[in-house]
Amino acid sequence: MSRIKKRGNRTAKDLRRSSRTEKISNKCTLIITEGKNTEPNYLEALRKRLGLKATRIEVIHPDGTDPVTLTNEAIKRRDKRKRESSKSNTKVPYDEVWVAFDLEKSHDERRLNAKKAENLAGVRGIKFAKSDPSFEFWRLLHEKYTAKSLDSCKAVTNELKKVCPAYTKSEIPSTETLNKIPAAVKNSQDLRKDNQTSGRSNPATDMDLLVRSMNGAALNDLQFVLPAK
C-alpha cells in the first residue's frame, strides 16, 4: 500500500521549503526606516497593495535616526532573528534586511555617518535604500522625472507640492499614487544612469531597488509590471 503524506500541521520552515512548488513567496524582509511616519506609511500601503503579510514584511522605525544607529539596529535584529529561528519551528531568518534613510546635501556629518554605516562590522548582506536629499524625492518621481539639484527635504517638498498640492509628510499613498510605481521605478533607473554619466550624486534614490524587491515577493497577479533593470 502506498504511503500518503500528511499536509496538515506544517511549520513555517516546511512552508518555506515548499514555496517553489506552490509558487508562493515566503521571503521574509526586515526594513528599518529613518522616518517615523512618511516611509512606514508608504511601505505599509505598498505591502497591503501587494498582498504581503505583515509577518513577512516588517517595517520598523527604531529610536535614533542617524545611519549608524539605524544600521546597528538592523544588524542586531537580523542576528537575533537568526538565533531564534535556529530554535524555533515557526520563525525563519530574514532573507533580506534593508535600511532606508536620507542624505541631505547640507548635512556633511550625515554623509560621513552613511559611509561609516556601510562599513560597520556585521553589515555584510544588509542593503541600503538611500535618498538624496530625502524620501520625498522618491515620491516626486511618481509624478515626473527630474535631475534638478535639490539640497534639502524642504526643496523637494516644494517641488512635490507643485504637482501634488495636498501632499503632507503623513500621507498614506492612494491606489492612484501606488499605480504610478512603474513610472517611478523607470524615472529612478533613468536618473541613476544619467548620474553615472554626468558624475552627479544629487538628486538620487535607491528606493526603487527596495520596491522591486517587495514587488518580487508578491503573487504574480498582484505584482506591478516594472521596467527591466
Side-chain angles (χ1 to χ4, degrees):
M1 182 181 294
S2 62
R3 299 178 62 185
I4 299 175
K5 294 183 179 180
K6 294 182 179 180
R7 294 177 60 84
N9 300 320
R10 290 183 297 176
T11 67
K13 289 182 179 178
D14 293 330
L15 289 170
R16 191 180 186 187
R17 284 193 290 267
S18 66
S19 64
R20 287 186 180 180
T21 58
E22 295 179 355
K23 297 181 181 179
I24 297 174
S25 172
N26 283 307
K27 183 168 74 172
C28 193
T29 300
L30 171 66
I31 306 171
I32 301 293
T33 69
E34 171 188 349
K36 183 178 181 180
N37 296 309
T38 311
E39 294 95 320
N41 285 351
Y42 180 95
L43 293 168
E44 286 291 347
L46 176 58
R47 177 187 66 75
K48 292 176 182 177
R49 161 60 180 79
L50 293 172
L52 300 171
K53 294 181 179 180
T55 54
R56 292 293 168 181
I57 303 290
E58 297 182 29
V59 181
I60 305 293
H61 167 69
D63 292 333
T65 59
D66 71 276
V68 171
T69 299
L70 296 173
T71 305
N72 275 325
E73 182 70 18
I75 293 169
K76 182 178 74 174
R77 287 177 179 266
R78 178 202 62 191
D79 292 350
K80 179 182 178 184
R81 182 62 169 258
K82 187 175 182 180
R83 291 193 300 271
E84 291 174 344
S85 68
S86 67
K87 303 175 184 177
S88 171
N89 285 325
T90 58
K91 284 189 177 182
V92 295
Y94 292 116
D95 295 285
E96 289 188 7
V97 178
W98 290 81
V99 183
F101 57 83
D102 298 344
L103 285 177
E104 292 205 47
K105 189 174 181 179
S106 58
H107 296 173
D108 290 339
E109 183 179 354
R110 186 169 186 78
R111 290 173 173 273
L112 289 174
N113 281 339
K115 290 181 179 179
K116 290 178 182 178
E118 293 173 349
N119 291 288
L120 288 171
V123 77
R124 184 177 180 180
I126 289 179
K127 302 181 180 183
F128 295 93
K130 298 175 286 186
S131 296
D132 189 352
S134 67
F135 176 84
E136 281 76 9
F137 181 69
W138 164 247
R139 178 64 181 81
L140 178 61
L141 291 179
H142 287 58
E143 311 300 331
K144 67 176 185 177
Y145 175 88
T146 181
K148 177 182 177 181
S149 180
L150 298 162
D151 65 0
S152 67
C153 178
K154 183 178 180 180
V156 180
T157 303
N158 288 341
E159 289 293 314
L160 181 53
K161 285 192 171 185
K162 291 178 182 178
V163 288
C164 296
Y167 174 80
T168 67
K169 289 183 73 66
S170 59
E171 175 193 63
I172 297 176
S174 65
T175 299
E176 180 183 2
T177 295
L178 294 175
N179 285 341
K180 296 176 181 178
I181 280 178
V185 169
K186 183 178 187 305
N187 287 338
S188 182
Q189 290 183 173
D190 288 348
L191 179 62
R192 187 175 295 115
K193 292 176 183 176
D194 289 348
N195 284 351
Q196 290 172 350
T197 300
S198 66
R200 290 189 309 260
S201 61
N202 168 275
T205 182
D206 295 322
M207 280 300 301
D208 61 304
L209 305 179
L210 172 53
V211 168
R212 187 181 287 277
S213 174
M214 291 178 65
N215 191 63
L219 293 173
N220 289 341
D221 60 344
L222 292 176
Q223 290 182 10
F224 293 102
V225 179
L226 300 181
K229 292 183 180 179

